[in-house]
Amino acid sequence: MGTVIVVTSGKGGVGKTTSSAAIGAALAQTGDSVALVDFDVGLRNLDLVLGAERRVVYDFVNVIQGQAKLSQALIRDKRIETLHLLAASQTRDKDALTEEGVEDVVGSLRETFDWVICDSPAGIERGAILAMRHADMAIVVTNPEVSSVRDSDRIIGLLDARTRRTEQGEAMEKHVLITRFDPTRAARGDMLAIDDVLEILSLPLIGIVPESQSVLKASNIGMPVVLADPSSDSARAYADAARRIKGESVDLAVPTVRRSLFGGLFRRAA
Amino acid sequence: MILRFFRLRRSAPVARDRLKVLLAHERAMTGRPDLVAVLREEILAVIRKHVPVDPGKVNVRADRDGSTSTLSVDIELSTMEPPRAAAA
Protein backbone atom coordinates (compact mmCIF):
# COMPACT_ATOMS: atom_id res chain seq x y z
CA MET A 1 0.00 0.00 0.00
CA GLY A 2 1.41 3.33 -1.05
CA THR A 3 1.28 6.66 0.70
CA VAL A 4 -0.97 9.46 -0.54
CA ILE A 5 0.51 12.96 -0.28
CA VAL A 6 -1.43 16.16 -0.92
CA VAL A 7 0.53 19.21 -2.05
CA THR A 8 -1.59 22.17 -1.04
CA SER A 9 -1.39 25.84 -0.04
CA GLY A 10 -4.65 27.75 -0.22
CA LYS A 11 -2.98 30.59 -2.08
CA GLY A 12 -2.29 30.32 -5.80
CA GLY A 13 1.07 30.84 -7.45
CA VAL A 14 3.20 29.70 -4.52
CA GLY A 15 4.62 26.68 -6.36
CA LYS A 16 2.30 23.73 -5.74
CA THR A 17 2.53 22.31 -9.25
CA THR A 18 6.26 22.91 -9.62
CA SER A 19 6.83 21.29 -6.22
CA SER A 20 4.55 18.34 -6.99
CA ALA A 21 6.46 17.67 -10.20
CA ALA A 22 9.88 18.07 -8.59
CA ILE A 23 9.15 15.99 -5.51
CA GLY A 24 7.40 13.33 -7.59
CA ALA A 25 10.36 13.13 -9.94
CA ALA A 26 12.84 13.07 -7.05
CA LEU A 27 10.95 10.22 -5.37
CA ALA A 28 10.76 8.34 -8.68
CA GLN A 29 14.50 8.80 -9.19
CA THR A 30 15.09 6.77 -6.04
CA GLY A 31 13.38 3.85 -7.79
CA ASP A 32 10.00 4.19 -6.08
CA SER A 33 6.90 4.20 -8.25
CA VAL A 34 5.06 7.53 -8.25
CA ALA A 35 1.68 8.67 -9.57
CA LEU A 36 1.18 12.43 -9.88
CA VAL A 37 -2.47 13.41 -9.93
CA ASP A 38 -3.57 16.84 -11.11
CA PHE A 39 -6.70 17.90 -9.20
CA ASP A 40 -6.92 21.30 -10.85
CA VAL A 41 -9.77 20.44 -13.21
CA GLY A 42 -10.27 23.17 -15.77
CA LEU A 43 -6.86 24.72 -15.13
CA ARG A 44 -4.49 21.81 -15.52
CA ASN A 45 -0.79 22.54 -15.60
CA LEU A 46 1.04 19.55 -14.20
CA ASP A 47 1.14 18.06 -17.72
CA LEU A 48 2.85 21.20 -18.97
CA VAL A 49 5.42 21.35 -16.19
CA LEU A 50 6.24 17.68 -16.87
CA GLY A 51 6.44 18.18 -20.63
CA ALA A 52 3.58 15.72 -21.21
CA GLU A 53 0.99 18.18 -22.52
CA ARG A 54 0.84 16.57 -25.95
CA ARG A 55 0.50 13.07 -24.60
CA VAL A 56 -2.75 13.53 -22.66
CA VAL A 57 -5.42 11.34 -24.24
CA TYR A 58 -7.62 10.50 -21.29
CA ASP A 59 -7.85 12.39 -18.05
CA PHE A 60 -9.04 12.10 -14.45
CA VAL A 61 -12.64 12.97 -15.34
CA ASN A 62 -12.72 10.38 -18.16
CA VAL A 63 -11.69 7.72 -15.65
CA ILE A 64 -14.29 8.82 -13.09
CA GLN A 65 -17.02 8.80 -15.73
CA GLY A 66 -15.98 5.38 -17.02
CA GLN A 67 -14.88 6.55 -20.48
CA ALA A 68 -11.37 5.22 -19.92
CA LYS A 69 -9.63 2.79 -17.65
CA LEU A 70 -7.18 4.18 -15.13
CA SER A 71 -4.33 2.29 -16.84
CA GLN A 72 -5.21 3.97 -20.15
CA ALA A 73 -5.20 7.44 -18.62
CA LEU A 74 -1.89 7.15 -16.80
CA ILE A 75 0.97 8.72 -18.77
CA ARG A 76 4.38 7.28 -18.13
CA ASP A 77 7.22 9.79 -18.05
CA LYS A 78 9.72 9.32 -20.88
CA ARG A 79 12.74 10.13 -18.75
CA ILE A 80 11.96 8.43 -15.44
CA GLU A 81 10.07 5.22 -16.04
CA THR A 82 8.70 4.95 -12.50
CA LEU A 83 7.00 8.36 -12.78
CA HIS A 84 3.38 8.57 -13.96
CA LEU A 85 0.85 11.34 -14.47
CA LEU A 86 -2.92 11.38 -14.29
CA ALA A 87 -3.85 14.66 -15.96
CA ALA A 88 -6.79 16.82 -14.97
CA SER A 89 -9.47 17.56 -17.52
CA GLN A 90 -9.09 20.92 -19.20
CA THR A 91 -12.60 21.19 -20.62
CA ARG A 92 -14.62 20.47 -17.49
CA ASP A 93 -15.01 22.18 -14.16
CA LYS A 94 -14.37 20.96 -10.65
CA ASP A 95 -17.89 19.60 -10.24
CA ALA A 96 -16.92 16.81 -12.66
CA LEU A 97 -14.94 15.24 -9.81
CA THR A 98 -17.23 13.22 -7.56
CA GLU A 99 -16.50 12.18 -4.01
CA GLU A 100 -16.87 8.48 -4.87
CA GLY A 101 -14.94 8.79 -8.13
CA VAL A 102 -11.98 10.38 -6.40
CA GLU A 103 -12.07 7.76 -3.67
CA ASP A 104 -12.00 4.93 -6.24
CA VAL A 105 -9.21 6.40 -8.32
CA VAL A 106 -6.98 7.35 -5.38
CA GLY A 107 -7.70 3.97 -3.79
CA SER A 108 -6.63 2.09 -6.94
CA LEU A 109 -3.49 4.22 -7.33
CA ARG A 110 -2.57 3.58 -3.72
CA GLU A 111 -2.60 -0.16 -4.40
CA THR A 112 -0.27 0.14 -7.38
CA PHE A 113 2.14 2.94 -6.55
CA ASP A 114 4.51 3.63 -3.69
CA TRP A 115 3.55 7.31 -3.72
CA VAL A 116 0.42 9.06 -4.94
CA ILE A 117 0.95 12.82 -5.09
CA CYS A 118 -2.20 14.93 -5.32
CA ASP A 119 -1.52 18.40 -6.72
CA SER A 120 -4.27 20.53 -5.21
CA PRO A 121 -5.91 23.50 -6.90
CA ALA A 122 -5.64 26.85 -5.12
CA GLY A 123 -8.50 27.95 -2.92
CA ILE A 124 -10.40 26.22 -0.15
CA GLU A 125 -13.34 24.98 -2.18
CA ARG A 126 -14.42 21.59 -3.44
CA GLY A 127 -11.37 20.86 -5.61
CA ALA A 128 -8.94 21.54 -2.77
CA ILE A 129 -11.01 19.51 -0.31
CA LEU A 130 -11.20 16.54 -2.71
CA ALA A 131 -7.43 16.69 -3.27
CA MET A 132 -6.71 16.46 0.47
CA ARG A 133 -9.54 14.07 1.28
CA HIS A 134 -7.62 10.77 1.14
CA ALA A 135 -4.14 12.00 1.99
CA ASP A 136 -1.91 10.33 4.56
CA MET A 137 0.54 13.20 4.49
CA ALA A 138 0.29 16.85 3.55
CA ILE A 139 2.90 19.20 2.18
CA VAL A 140 1.83 22.79 2.72
CA VAL A 141 3.67 24.95 0.20
CA THR A 142 4.27 28.40 1.68
CA ASN A 143 6.10 31.51 0.53
CA PRO A 144 7.70 33.57 3.31
CA GLU A 145 5.18 36.31 2.82
CA VAL A 146 2.11 37.38 4.85
CA SER A 147 -0.73 36.41 2.53
CA SER A 148 0.73 32.98 1.80
CA VAL A 149 1.28 32.21 5.49
CA ARG A 150 -2.25 33.29 6.33
CA ASP A 151 -3.71 31.04 3.63
CA SER A 152 -1.50 28.15 4.72
CA ASP A 153 -2.87 28.51 8.23
CA ARG A 154 -6.37 28.23 6.82
CA ILE A 155 -5.48 25.13 4.82
CA ILE A 156 -3.90 23.51 7.88
CA GLY A 157 -7.21 24.02 9.68
CA LEU A 158 -9.00 22.24 6.83
CA LEU A 159 -6.46 19.40 6.85
CA ASP A 160 -7.32 18.91 10.52
CA ALA A 161 -11.05 18.93 9.86
CA ARG A 162 -11.87 17.63 6.40
CA THR A 163 -9.58 14.68 5.65
CA ARG A 164 -10.65 11.08 5.94
CA ARG A 165 -7.80 10.36 8.31
CA THR A 166 -8.58 13.08 10.83
CA GLU A 167 -12.30 12.24 10.68
CA GLN A 168 -11.36 8.73 11.75
CA GLY A 169 -9.25 10.09 14.58
CA GLU A 170 -5.98 9.12 12.94
CA ALA A 171 -2.90 11.30 12.77
CA MET A 172 -2.19 13.31 9.67
CA GLU A 173 1.45 14.03 8.97
CA LYS A 174 1.81 17.66 7.89
CA HIS A 175 4.91 19.49 6.71
CA VAL A 176 5.76 22.95 5.48
CA LEU A 177 7.71 23.38 2.27
CA ILE A 178 8.98 26.93 1.95
CA THR A 179 9.40 27.99 -1.66
CA ARG A 180 10.57 31.16 -3.39
CA PHE A 181 12.91 31.86 -0.52
CA ASP A 182 15.13 34.83 -1.33
CA PRO A 183 18.38 34.79 0.68
CA THR A 184 19.20 38.39 -0.22
CA ARG A 185 15.92 39.74 1.11
CA ALA A 186 16.18 37.44 4.12
CA ALA A 187 19.64 38.84 4.90
CA ARG A 188 18.21 42.37 4.74
CA GLY A 189 15.46 41.45 7.18
CA ASP A 190 12.77 42.08 4.60
CA MET A 191 11.43 38.57 4.36
CA LEU A 192 9.66 36.60 7.03
CA ALA A 193 12.25 34.45 8.77
CA ILE A 194 11.95 30.68 8.40
CA ASP A 195 11.70 30.27 12.17
CA ASP A 196 8.85 32.76 12.34
CA VAL A 197 6.92 30.95 9.61
CA LEU A 198 7.40 27.61 11.37
CA GLU A 199 6.45 29.05 14.73
CA ILE A 200 3.31 30.65 13.35
CA LEU A 201 2.20 27.52 11.48
CA SER A 202 3.45 25.08 14.17
CA LEU A 203 4.51 22.51 11.61
CA PRO A 204 7.86 20.83 10.88
CA LEU A 205 9.85 21.92 7.86
CA ILE A 206 10.41 19.51 4.95
CA GLY A 207 12.53 21.83 2.80
CA ILE A 208 13.45 25.34 1.72
CA VAL A 209 13.52 25.98 -2.01
CA PRO A 210 15.25 29.20 -3.00
CA GLU A 211 13.72 31.47 -5.65
CA SER A 212 15.68 30.52 -8.71
CA GLN A 213 16.12 30.81 -12.43
CA SER A 214 16.56 27.04 -12.62
CA VAL A 215 12.96 26.47 -11.55
CA LEU A 216 11.62 28.88 -14.18
CA LYS A 217 13.82 27.42 -16.89
CA ALA A 218 12.78 23.90 -15.95
CA SER A 219 9.11 24.82 -16.37
CA ASN A 220 9.88 26.47 -19.69
CA ILE A 221 11.33 23.29 -21.10
CA GLY A 222 8.80 20.98 -19.46
CA MET A 223 11.14 19.18 -17.11
CA PRO A 224 11.04 18.86 -13.32
CA VAL A 225 13.95 20.89 -11.97
CA VAL A 226 15.58 17.79 -10.45
CA LEU A 227 16.08 16.54 -14.03
CA ALA A 228 16.65 19.84 -15.82
CA ASP A 229 19.33 21.19 -13.49
CA PRO A 230 20.17 18.58 -10.86
CA SER A 231 23.09 20.50 -9.38
CA SER A 232 21.07 23.68 -8.74
CA ASP A 233 20.17 24.67 -5.18
CA SER A 234 16.47 24.22 -5.95
CA ALA A 235 16.92 20.72 -7.35
CA ARG A 236 18.95 19.75 -4.30
CA ALA A 237 16.33 21.18 -1.99
CA TYR A 238 13.63 19.08 -3.68
CA ALA A 239 15.81 15.95 -3.73
CA ASP A 240 16.52 16.40 -0.01
CA ALA A 241 12.83 16.97 0.69
CA ALA A 242 12.05 13.70 -1.13
CA ARG A 243 14.54 11.86 1.07
CA ARG A 244 12.97 13.36 4.19
CA ILE A 245 9.55 12.25 2.95
CA LYS A 246 10.98 8.74 2.73
CA GLY A 247 11.96 9.02 6.35
CA GLU A 248 15.67 9.71 5.96
CA SER A 249 17.29 12.26 8.18
CA VAL A 250 18.94 14.92 6.03
CA ASP A 251 20.46 18.12 7.39
CA LEU A 252 18.56 21.23 6.46
CA ALA A 253 20.36 24.56 6.13
CA VAL A 254 18.77 27.91 5.42
CA PRO A 255 20.11 29.15 2.06
CA THR A 256 22.39 32.16 2.42
CA VAL A 257 23.72 34.77 0.03
CA ARG A 258 26.70 33.26 -1.70
CA ARG A 259 28.22 36.42 -3.16
CA SER A 260 31.01 38.09 -1.28
CA LEU A 261 30.05 41.12 0.76
CA PHE A 262 31.78 43.45 -1.69
CA GLY A 263 30.28 41.73 -4.69
CA GLY A 264 26.85 42.11 -3.12
CA LEU A 265 27.31 45.78 -2.37
CA PHE A 266 28.68 46.38 -5.79
CA ARG A 267 25.74 44.74 -7.45
CA ARG A 268 23.22 46.63 -5.43
CA ALA A 269 24.92 49.92 -6.15
CA ALA A 270 25.07 49.19 -9.86
CA MET B 1 18.56 59.19 9.85
CA ILE B 2 20.00 56.08 11.46
CA LEU B 3 16.59 55.24 12.87
CA ARG B 4 15.01 55.69 9.48
CA PHE B 5 17.60 53.44 7.90
CA PHE B 6 16.97 50.85 10.59
CA ARG B 7 13.24 50.97 10.03
CA LEU B 8 13.62 50.66 6.30
CA ARG B 9 15.87 47.69 6.74
CA ARG B 10 13.53 45.43 8.60
CA SER B 11 9.98 44.83 7.48
CA ALA B 12 10.03 41.13 8.38
CA PRO B 13 9.40 41.57 12.14
CA VAL B 14 6.41 43.78 11.34
CA ALA B 15 5.05 41.08 9.04
CA ARG B 16 5.54 38.45 11.74
CA ASP B 17 3.75 40.46 14.42
CA ARG B 18 0.84 41.35 12.19
CA LEU B 19 0.41 37.71 11.20
CA LYS B 20 0.49 36.49 14.79
CA VAL B 21 -2.28 38.83 15.86
CA LEU B 22 -4.40 38.12 12.80
CA LEU B 23 -4.09 34.34 12.97
CA ALA B 24 -4.82 34.21 16.69
CA HIS B 25 -8.07 35.93 15.87
CA GLU B 26 -8.88 33.82 12.80
CA ARG B 27 -8.21 30.55 14.62
CA ALA B 28 -10.57 31.56 17.39
CA MET B 29 -13.22 32.10 14.74
CA THR B 30 -12.66 28.71 13.09
CA GLY B 31 -15.92 26.97 12.47
CA ARG B 32 -17.79 30.19 13.30
CA PRO B 33 -17.01 32.48 10.41
CA ASP B 34 -20.49 33.92 10.78
CA LEU B 35 -20.16 34.64 14.49
CA VAL B 36 -20.63 38.39 14.12
CA ALA B 37 -23.77 37.90 12.02
CA VAL B 38 -25.21 35.43 14.52
CA LEU B 39 -24.52 37.76 17.45
CA ARG B 40 -26.07 40.65 15.58
CA GLU B 41 -29.30 38.77 14.89
CA GLU B 42 -29.66 37.46 18.43
CA ILE B 43 -28.87 40.76 20.10
CA LEU B 44 -31.40 42.51 17.84
CA ALA B 45 -34.04 39.90 18.59
CA VAL B 46 -33.71 40.57 22.32
CA ILE B 47 -33.96 44.32 21.88
CA ARG B 48 -36.90 44.06 19.44
CA LYS B 49 -38.92 42.33 22.10
CA HIS B 50 -39.04 45.61 23.94
CA VAL B 51 -38.31 48.38 21.45
CA PRO B 52 -38.94 48.71 17.70
CA VAL B 53 -35.64 48.73 15.82
CA ASP B 54 -34.97 49.96 12.31
CA PRO B 55 -32.53 47.41 10.78
CA GLY B 56 -30.96 50.20 8.74
CA LYS B 57 -29.91 51.98 11.92
CA VAL B 58 -27.87 49.15 13.39
CA ASN B 59 -24.11 49.20 13.21
CA VAL B 60 -22.12 46.16 14.35
CA ARG B 61 -18.36 46.25 14.44
CA ALA B 62 -15.85 43.62 15.49
CA ASP B 63 -12.44 44.99 16.35
CA ARG B 64 -9.29 43.75 17.90
CA ASP B 65 -6.31 45.30 19.52
CA GLY B 66 -3.46 43.06 20.55
CA SER B 67 -4.97 40.17 22.44
CA THR B 68 -8.44 41.66 23.06
CA SER B 69 -11.35 41.46 20.69
CA THR B 70 -14.30 43.78 21.04
CA LEU B 71 -17.74 43.74 19.57
CA SER B 72 -19.57 47.05 19.48
CA VAL B 73 -23.23 47.27 18.59
CA ASP B 74 -24.74 50.68 17.89
CA ILE B 75 -28.49 50.68 17.70
CA GLU B 76 -30.44 53.83 17.06
CA LEU B 77 -33.75 53.39 18.82
CA SER B 78 -36.91 54.70 17.18
CA THR B 79 -38.51 57.54 19.10
CA MET B 80 -40.95 55.99 21.52
CA GLU B 81 -44.29 57.57 22.10
CA PRO B 82 -44.72 58.17 25.81
CA PRO B 83 -47.49 55.86 27.13
CA ARG B 84 -50.03 58.72 27.58
CA ALA B 85 -53.08 56.54 27.38
CA ALA B 86 -51.93 54.56 30.40
CA ALA B 87 -51.26 57.76 32.36
CA ALA B 88 -54.69 59.22 31.68
Side-chain angles (χ1 to χ4, degrees):
Chain A
M1 279 293 256
T3 303
V4 180
I5 301 176
V6 62
V7 177
T8 187
S9 70
K11 191 175 186 302
V14 295
K16 282 181 296 299
T17 300
T18 309
S19 298
S20 298
I23 289 172
L27 283 169
Q29 278 179 322
T30 70
D32 289 359
S33 59
V34 177
L36 287 165
V37 185
D38 191 345
F39 273 79
D40 205 347
V41 176
L43 290 169
R44 76 174 176 213
N45 275 317
L46 195 49
D47 56 332
L48 197 54
V49 170
L50 286 169
E53 69 275 16
R54 296 168 69 177
R55 300 174 60 208
V56 179
V57 180
Y58 295 114
D59 58 49
F60 200 172
V61 173
N62 293 140
V63 176
I64 284 180
Q65 297 185 340
Q67 291 140 352
K69 284 187 208 154
L70 181 54
S71 55
Q72 293 176 297
L74 282 168
I75 302 165
R76 175 187 287 215
D77 189 86
K78 285 190 169 163
R79 299 145 305 200
I80 313 173
E81 62 172 19
T82 49
L83 182 63
H84 297 74
L85 167 70
L86 179 59
S89 171
Q90 185 67 344
T91 53
R92 313 296 286 270
D93 63 32
K94 290 182 177 57
D95 292 334
L97 293 182
T98 61
E99 179 100 17
E100 302 74 32
V102 169
E103 185 172 354
D104 287 349
V105 170
V106 174
S108 307
L109 290 172
R110 194 203 287 273
E111 282 169 22
T112 318
F113 292 91
D114 296 319
W115 303 96
V116 180
I117 300 182
C118 303
D119 180 21
S120 174
I124 52 170
E125 282 86 32
R126 192 180 151 76
I129 300 296
L130 284 173
M132 70 170 65
R133 188 82 186 121
H134 304 280
D136 305 304
M137 184 194 287
I139 295 178
V140 180
V141 182
T142 306
N143 296 164
E145 172 262 321
V146 285
S147 53
S148 174
V149 174
R150 180 195 206 176
D151 292 0
S152 292
D153 190 76
R154 190 76 197 280
I155 275 289
I156 292 165
L158 290 173
L159 287 166
D160 288 336
R162 304 288 294 274
T163 56
R164 181 61 58 89
R165 251 178 188 270
T166 49
E167 279 179 7
Q168 290 171 348
E170 292 170 51
M172 171 93 182
E173 211 182 307
K174 302 186 288 289
H175 301 274
V176 178
L177 177 71
I178 292 181
T179 54
R180 311 197 119 170
F181 181 79
D182 182 343
T184 311
R185 279 177 58 219
R188 278 207 308 264
D190 279 334
M191 193 170 55
L192 276 170
I194 303 284
D195 285 346
D196 289 339
V197 175
L198 299 181
E199 189 203 325
I200 289 167
L201 297 179
S202 318
L203 287 189
L205 182 64
I206 198 90
I208 305 168
V209 183
E211 172 87 76
S212 130
Q213 292 295 317
S214 317
V215 174
L216 299 173
K217 283 185 194 161
S219 294
N220 283 348
I221 60 172
M223 260 195 184
V225 70
V226 291
L227 279 179
D229 190 359
S231 62
S232 65
D233 289 347
S234 313
R236 287 192 181 152
Y238 281 123
D240 284 352
R243 289 170 61 196
R244 291 184 195 103
I245 289 168
K246 291 184 74 170
E248 287 179 46
S249 147
V250 185
D251 284 346
L252 205 167
V254 177
T256 49
V257 189
R258 242 198 244 135
R259 289 194 299 267
S260 71
L261 177 63
F262 291 111
L265 286 174
F266 200 68
R267 250 182 84 128
R268 218 173 300 152
Chain B
M1 177 71 180
I2 289 170
L3 254 181
R4 193 184 134 101
F5 180 66
F6 189 67
R7 247 203 323 266
L8 279 178
R9 254 168 44 117
R10 311 187 70 213
S11 60
V14 181
R16 176 196 58 209
D17 295 344
R18 288 179 58 221
L19 263 175
K20 280 188 176 172
V21 171
L22 172 70
L23 292 182
H25 177 78
E26 285 189 345
R27 284 171 192 158
M29 291 283 180
T30 301
R32 299 296 304 272
D34 55 345
L35 184 62
V36 173
V38 170
L39 287 175
R40 178 195 143 105
E41 283 319 304
E42 293 191 4
I43 289 168
L44 281 183
V46 169
I47 293 170
R48 262 199 215 105
K49 274 203 254 176
H50 307 283
V51 193
V53 175
D54 177 354
K57 292 182 175 166
V58 178
N59 191 9
V60 182
R61 249 183 47 215
D63 220 335
R64 63 183 176 281
D65 177 24
S67 55
T68 23
S69 296
T70 57
L71 179 76
S72 38
V73 186
D74 274 328
I75 303 171
E76 194 179 314
L77 300 178
S78 314
T79 329
M80 284 188 291
E81 291 294 318
R84 267 183 222 142

